[in-house]
Amino acid sequence: MNANEMSSFFENMGMMIKAGITAEEAVGLLKEETHDNAALTQVYTGMAQQMSEGASLSAAMKDSGAFPAYAVDMVDASEYTGRLEGTLFHLSDYYMTEGAMKNTFISAIRYPIILLLMVVAVLVAMLAIVFPAFYSVYDTLTGSLAASSFGYIHISFTLCKILLVVMILIVLLLLCGVVMWRSGKSASVRNALSKFKSFRQLFDNLDLYRFTSCFDMFISSGEMQDEALKKSLVVAESDNLKNKLNRCVEKMASGLSFSQAACEEKLYDPINNRMLIPAERSGMLDSILRKILTNLKNNNEAYVGRIAGTVEPFLTGFLMITLGLMLISLMVPLIGIMNSIG
């Protein structure tokens, strides 16, 4: 199940349980409403059958294999603590945001691809239409381009070919990256894009957002801080964040609280770190975590905007300069011929 499907599932389950419908009946109702999606129908059918035999919602989710381990653990913990309804809505919000973040990242890549395709189209038009037309005119007027003063047009023509090949390779590379990302090979794409500072900052912030959201959900479902931290480790993807979280686990095992360990490891930026300890002492850790999530989400949007703001003028300027140079290389010989005639 993708992020949008899981968000819909948890939201529908939360609404029906809030209305007094049992979890078993809710899954059965969802099964009847997904007749147009064979894969979801199969998942819900298996879950409904298991729950009819006495299995809990978390056990049915686990056996279906359609849900991540941390989502199953959260539902299991909420069933034990009696906070199932709130946890289901929290999971719905989490996966809705997760889907939005993925779409935001894809949009950051889509725009450069469109601009690159425009550059490719212009270069193809130059090579297929513009250059041949001018070649024909100059050849008629001068007899032979190679024997005249217009030989540098060949340089422009060759440069245009080289640029076209380079642009096509870049477009193919970006398209391959998008396909790999959507097919589950995102780690390779992340490693390649992380070599650029802006993308590295975006990935690190997305990773931290994902962990914080998961940790907040475990805390809200009644899980102890140390267990919530350990279970939230599975969503961390970058080695840097994993190392920080593992050191936090060790410090919490030695007696520190999560906020103290997070501050010592500089898990968040200074502003967010300073809010943790007072919030934990006042019993408002879950509220502050949600505020931190809002800050991280705003940072994600800022990083994406920065990437788009850098790539757009660069590619636009490259397109304008390329067109200008090509036109100059074609028009200067014509001006020379006109001056000679005059």
Side-chain angles (χ1 to χ4, degrees):
M1 295 174 68
N2 58 40
N4 292 330
E5 289 171 342
M6 285 192 286
S7 175
S8 176
F9 169 78
F10 288 121
E11 182 178 14
N12 289 330
M13 289 292 296
M15 288 190 297
M16 286 188 280
I17 289 176
K18 184 177 182 179
I21 301 173
T22 64
E24 178 183 346
E25 293 173 335
V27 172
L29 291 173
L30 288 177
K31 180 188 68 174
E32 296 175 359
E33 296 175 358
T34 56
H35 57 276
D36 56 338
N37 190 322
L40 283 180
T41 301
Q42 184 178 359
V43 170
Y44 294 154
T45 300
M47 290 176 62
Q49 182 177 354
Q50 286 188 311
M51 294 179 73
S52 66
E53 296 173 356
S56 63
L57 175 61
S58 58
M61 289 171 55
K62 182 178 180 179
D63 291 339
S64 71
F67 299 90
Y70 57 87
V72 175
D73 289 340
M74 284 192 59
V75 173
D76 184 35
S78 65
E79 287 177 326
Y80 179 76
T81 58
R83 300 182 180 182
L84 179 59
E85 178 186 321
T87 299
L88 290 173
F89 283 118
H90 206 148
L91 281 167
S92 175
D93 292 339
Y94 170 78
Y95 283 110
M96 183 182 297
T97 306
E98 181 81 0
M101 289 297 102
K102 288 182 178 179
N103 291 335
T104 299
F105 172 73
I106 293 297
S107 67
I109 300 296
R110 184 184 298 118
Y111 190 71
I113 292 177
I114 294 174
L115 281 177
L116 285 171
L117 289 174
M118 292 175 63
V119 174
V120 169
V122 170
L123 292 175
V124 169
M126 295 288 289
L127 289 171
I129 301 174
V130 179
F131 272 101
F134 275 86
Y135 263 105
S136 177
V137 172
Y138 291 154
D139 189 51
T140 301
L141 292 175
T142 64
S144 173
L145 282 174
S148 69
S149 62
F150 311 112
Y152 58 85
I153 294 181
H154 293 291
I155 299 176
S156 179
F157 188 71
T158 303
L159 179 61
C160 192
K161 286 183 177 180
I162 295 173
L163 288 175
L164 178 60
V165 172
V166 172
M167 292 298 104
I168 290 176
L169 289 176
I170 294 175
V171 170
L172 291 176
L173 189 62
L174 289 175
L175 290 175
C176 287
V178 172
V179 171
M180 290 174 63
W181 184 277
R182 290 183 171 179
S183 62
K185 298 179 180 179
S186 58
S188 301
V189 181
R190 283 173 60 104
N191 292 335
L193 292 177
S194 293
K195 299 183 184 299
F196 301 95
K197 182 179 179 181
S198 296
F199 279 103
R200 183 167 61 251
Q201 291 175 331
L202 174 61
F203 289 139
D204 289 344
N205 201 77
L206 282 171
D207 219 14
L208 189 57
Y209 177 89
R210 188 178 295 109
F211 158 76
T212 305
S213 183
C214 191
F215 179 76
D216 177 42
M217 286 190 293
F218 276 116
I219 293 295
S220 300
S221 65
E223 193 72 71
M224 299 296 293
Q225 286 187 7
D226 54 347
E227 289 299 319
L229 179 57
K230 292 177 182 177
K231 291 179 178 180
S232 301
L233 273 169
V234 297
V235 303
E237 295 184 1
S238 67
D239 293 334
N240 183 37
L241 181 58
K242 288 180 181 178
N243 293 334
K244 284 186 178 181
L245 294 177
N246 283 324
R247 289 195 293 269
C248 286
V249 170
E250 294 173 359
K251 290 183 177 182
M252 290 179 70
S254 64
L256 294 182
S257 64
F258 169 75
S259 58
Q260 292 171 325
C263 288
E264 289 187 6
E265 288 298 326
K266 298 180 180 180
L267 187 61
Y268 302 100
D269 59 56
I271 296 177
N272 289 327
N273 275 333
R274 284 195 293 268
M275 295 190 296
L276 285 173
I277 294 179
E280 188 176 55
R281 290 175 179 173
S282 60
M284 299 178 62
L285 181 60
D286 54 344
S287 299
I288 293 302
L289 286 174
R290 293 189 183 94
K291 186 173 182 179
I292 291 175
L293 283 172
T294 301
N295 294 338
L296 292 174
K297 184 178 180 181
N298 293 335
N299 289 341
N300 289 334
E301 295 173 353
Y303 287 134
V304 171
R306 187 180 306 168
I307 292 171
T310 301
V311 172
E312 177 182 354
F314 173 78
L315 290 178
T316 303
F318 177 80
L319 178 60
M320 295 299 104
I321 292 173
T322 301
L323 284 175
L325 291 176
M326 298 303 164
L327 290 175
I328 289 173
S329 69
L330 293 172
M331 296 304 296
V332 168
L334 182 59
I335 295 173
I337 293 172
M338 294 175 67
N339 288 334
S340 299
I341 294 174

